[in-house]
Amino acid sequence: MKKRRMHNMFLQLDPVTDFILASLENSGFSLYIVGGSLRNRLLGLDVHDTDFTTNATPAQVKQIFSSYTAIDTGIRHGTVTLVIDHVPYEITTMRTEGTYSDNRRPDCVFYTDSIEEDLKRRDFTVNALAYSPKSGLVDLFGGLSDLENRVLRTVGEPAERFSEDALRIMRGLRFSSVLGFEIENETKSAMFHYSHLLKNISVERIYNELISMLDGNNFDKVLRDFLPVFKLIMPEMRLPE
């Protein structure tokens, strides 16, 4: 287990996010902002959705917020979407995961009260950060440094991350296209090596990543650097002369 690295950092949060954090913490649970919503806050970008992770179970989350609409959007994986003022907030119980037999989703999940265990399962270091006003920024894998240097690398071994969930390859290309991040060499090599697993991913999921990717200022470079990957999913693709 890596030693927890904490950064004394204070983020200005909106009133609803503060309310959600306070409600869980006042009920004796820990709660962290995680994922893309935290990454974009640290980059100074607009945040449209806020994702949380907590050691409370989905049933406990729904009980605490019983006055609000709570939707079981991903209950199999511990996710409840809380709707406040018509805005969705995803709250997922901290978890570890079993094997990925379909190269997309874990066959089973196990709840944990360890933020360290939860962050270990995430895709890229810049998405494996966690923040709460009480604890500050939790950074186990050098995600803050990678964020500052605009580098994209996997958490742990790239081979494991992409063989678990091949859609992470497309997500990584999207992040590089939209955020302008340079993909670290071992991560890049593994993207090519495991790209054949994209055949196990639904066309809809790949299409959604492609559409989001097209908005990126760095898309031309990503397309040229990863043309063999794009040809796997769109064999008819050709670059203009």
Side-chain angles (χ1 to χ4, degrees), residues 37-52:
S37 58
L38 177 56
R39 180 197 68 230
N40 287 352
R41 276 186 169 90
L42 294 172
L43 287 171
L45 302 176
D46 291 338
V47 176
H48 303 291
D49 303 300
T50 300
D51 298 331
F52 301 90

Side-chain angles (χ1 to χ4, degrees), residues 1-218:
M1 173 65 64
K2 287 180 176 285
K3 183 179 179 180
R4 179 186 290 201
R5 281 180 281 178
M6 311 293 293
H7 298 270
N8 292 325
M9 177 182 292
F10 178 78
L11 296 179
Q12 188 69 42
L13 304 174
D14 62 273
V16 176
T17 298
D18 277 333
F19 165 72
I20 294 172
L21 285 161
S23 297
L24 266 296
E25 289 176 350
N26 291 342
S27 298
F29 299 103
S30 58
L31 184 72
Y32 297 86
I33 300 172
V34 291
S37 58
L38 177 56
R39 180 197 68 230
N40 287 352
R41 276 186 169 90
L42 294 172
L43 287 171
L45 302 176
D46 291 338
V47 176
H48 303 291
D49 303 300
T50 300
D51 298 331
F52 301 90
T53 191
T54 179
N55 58 350
T57 65
Q60 290 167 329
V61 170
K62 289 192 286 187
Q63 182 177 15
I64 291 167
F65 295 101
S66 58
S67 300
Y68 299 89
T69 300
I71 306 168
D72 293 344
T73 46
I75 199 66
R76 182 183 171 209
H77 298 103
T79 300
V80 171
T81 297
L82 186 65
V83 181
I84 300 178
D85 295 335
H86 308 290
V87 177
Y89 298 85
E90 277 198 0
I91 304 177
T92 301
T93 302
M94 297 175 194
R95 68 182 195 240
T96 60
E97 298 174 338
T99 57
Y100 285 68
S101 59
D102 64 354
N103 304 121
R104 177 65 189 102
R105 294 193 180 279
D107 299 326
C108 55
V109 300
F110 307 95
Y111 294 156
T112 178
D113 61 0
S114 167
I115 185 62
E116 290 89 350
E117 288 297 317
D118 184 86
L119 295 178
K120 280 170 59 177
R121 68 178 178 80
R122 296 179 181 267
D123 52 6
F124 301 102
T125 61
V126 296
N127 295 332
L129 298 163
Y131 172 81
S132 76
K134 182 181 293 185
S135 300
L137 187 72
V138 181
D139 178 13
L140 299 178
F141 305 102
L144 186 60
S145 174
D146 284 344
L147 206 61
E148 291 168 346
N149 293 307
R150 306 190 81 80
V151 171
L152 195 69
R153 79 178 77 237
T154 59
V155 173
E157 291 296 324
E160 291 182 24
R161 298 291 82 79
F162 296 136
S163 59
E164 287 171 343
D165 180 0
L167 189 64
R168 287 170 173 164
I169 296 171
M170 300 304 295
R171 283 168 52 83
L173 298 183
R174 169 166 60 87
F175 294 144
S176 182
S177 174
V178 174
L179 300 175
F181 283 20
E182 189 69 28
I183 300 174
E184 176 265 339
N185 285 335
E186 287 188 23
T187 300
K188 181 183 292 186
S189 295
M191 284 178 163
F192 284 112
H193 186 79
Y194 290 94
S195 59
H196 67 281
L197 296 178
L198 287 168
K199 69 181 185 297
N200 299 326
I201 306 300
S202 72
V203 172
E204 292 79 12
R205 297 307 298 265
I206 291 176
Y207 175 79
N208 289 339
E209 293 294 341
L210 283 171
I211 292 300
S212 298
M213 210 180 295
L214 290 171
D215 289 335
N217 292 330
N218 204 38

